[in-house]
Amino acid sequence: MSPERGVKAARETIRQAERLLDSARALLAGHAEAEQAVRSALAPLTAALAREQLAAMPVARLKEVADGGLRTAALERAGYSDVGRVHAASLYELRSISGIGATSASQLKLAAQRLAEAADESAAVRLDVEQQDAGSTALVRALGRLVAAGPELARARQVASGIEEELPRLLAAARPAGSRLRGLFTGRERKGEAAEAVRGLGEWLARSEAEETPLLLTQAATDLLRVHSSDAEAWIDYELRAPEYYGVLSEVVGRTAGPAATDGHLPTELADRVRAQPLDDRHRRVSLRGYQEFGARFALAQRRVIIGDEMGLGKTIQAIAALAHLKADGGTHFMVVCPASVMINWAREIERRSTLKAFLIHGPDRLRHLEEWRRAGDVAVVSVSGLHNLEPGSEAPAMLVVDEAHYVKNPEARRSRAVADWIRRSGHVLFLTGTPMENRVNEFRNLVGHLQPELVERLRGRDVVIGSAEFRRLVAPAYLRRNQEDVLAELPDLIEIDEWEEFSATDHEAYREAVAAGHLMPMRRAAYASPEGSAKLRRLTELVAEAQENNRKVVVFSYFRTVLAAVAERLNGRAVVIGPIDGGVSSARRQELVDEFTALDGPAVLLSQIEAGGVGLNIQAASVVIICEPQIKPTLERQAVARSHRMGQTRTVQVHRLLTVEGVDAAMVRMLAGKDRLFAAYARRSALAETTPEALDVSETVLARRIVEEEQLRLGLVPGQAGPDLTKRY
């Protein structure tokens, strides 16, 4: 190549590199500007919340943060009843108060400032679609720019940062090679360095072209320029994608849950090891919250674990993030085992949140899909009940995910044995469950036994005499749990209301007959036996009418099909009713019903059996939850409520429990309190266990017998011959 052509080629390489650098800088500048817009919109909202906190603090709180002793009596006599007033006052105003000198005034201002800083740091802004004031709207619109850029923005920024870090140095070294005039005044060694730099730029450009970096940067920068055309459009987009908005908000302000909450209060050494675990996002198409990243890293670092996060925290997303990492690390085949009712939801989420393809091994096409999965790889989605029919091939899943893993807590059950077979041939195993233990700690121990048998040996015989804190410490290598209140500060309020009703005459007659027969289930649904005179149905109708007036959607849960039928009959002509979702409805149809309910413009009512709709389905469209009767398993109710009160909910959620003042409802509420305490102490983060699990356990059969006997005695009825009926759902 002639010197002239060499200079021209070098000049063109330099120009292309400069254009690439300009694109990278434009993206980084656009992102920084978008983030600053969020901070500017957030600042007045945070300041207002901090002022509210200070106004609610009595001046006595100043003593807690002062370096020395402070006397606040003079402040209170002068009318300074809260910290907010002290913080707003000037030093001159404080010194003017009788009994407060210059030193005391300075100490008071310093203490108030410390509390103000703490209030500002802890203030968590909640966006409420029902309170679309100017400040909140400005924040929604600012966040919308970053949300619209999508999950590719993070990768584009990472690439742009690498370009910004490397290319300026190479360009400075290469420029003499692109100018004949500069070349005349450049020494031989410098010319060699310039030629080497040009080669380096060429390699950068070739790699960028192969990876489509220019397109990535241009698209991301363009996306950052998009703004909502109106305030209404901004709020609609927020309501549809609330989790993305809050995820971006937490990234911008860097105000996430503290490390202890994020890591589920694991021992420090274990938490540090988990944080050091890499997490590749090349095949992921969703941004993660801090606690979700930690959960995915935990699954990868510990290899065989349970993530027992409370409902609504995105366990599915954490599993998909782990699958995407293993895909990038060379994994080819993966398997998700879940209840049939949520198979479609899993397939949707996998293909929406990652580049992986999902194969439904279910229904008439199961064998064809199985062969496709074996040939192509990625994720097989199999039902818990159908897993034992799956003939093992040569594939060894890089990760086995078992959703609602409490279904395999009985090691003797066929589905548990099938899961155990696949565990043995899988590299990583991840159990997901919001309810790892319902009645007995040993059920939870059985789950751990599937994964890390050595832990079970350490626990055997000890967990009945140690407290919950020590129990959680021992199972930490295999168990991670976080609760909503610890990591989702932005989640709308959950308002729980017990609606106590008196039996009507017809209710009471049906109830006495059920008690005399000695059957628990008829006792539980007796309040609906005569719909015309049902006190509970009257109250339910009032609640639905109120929800309609406020343009809210309602989900009604009951254990019994007959109760749902009575509700449907009562609401006929009064509301748009979808469902019911019950055990006889296929998984595909369940999702269709939820989609139909969600898509409806305006108020509506979704009816569901609590076991069929309380697991797996996301019903954020509903902000009013009505539970027709107390449940024998407290976890059923928690799961059902979490279908609506979860990440993505944008409205305050009201939960109404329909209860009767006397009879089975009151007895169940009282007796089930012990079961709930057991769960809280051992499955949730807690240090309140003061007794043994066995002392707190109330099994279903024992509870049924006890309630029936108590009610027969209370009503002076002769016990019937039949035993407690725990099976009928009609």
Side-chain angles (χ1 to χ4, degrees), residues 332-333 357-361 365-380 395:
T332 58
H333 291 74
K357 182 173 176 56
F359 297 88
L360 281 172
I361 315 301
D365 295 324
R366 60 184 298 275
L367 294 179
R368 179 170 61 84
H369 291 165
L370 176 60
E371 290 307 314
E372 289 179 4
W373 171 64
R374 285 173 169 161
R375 182 178 65 256
D378 283 359
V379 188
E395 67 284 335

Side-chain angles (χ1 to χ4, degrees), residues 592-628:
E592 288 174 1
L593 289 170
V594 172
D595 291 345
E596 180 183 348
F597 176 70
T598 302
L600 279 172
D601 185 16
V605 179
L606 177 67
L607 305 181
S608 178
Q609 270 192 291
I610 199 162
E611 286 193 312
V615 176
L617 298 174
N618 298 331
I619 318 177
Q620 292 102 315
S623 56
V624 177
V625 179
I626 300 176
I627 300 176
C628 291

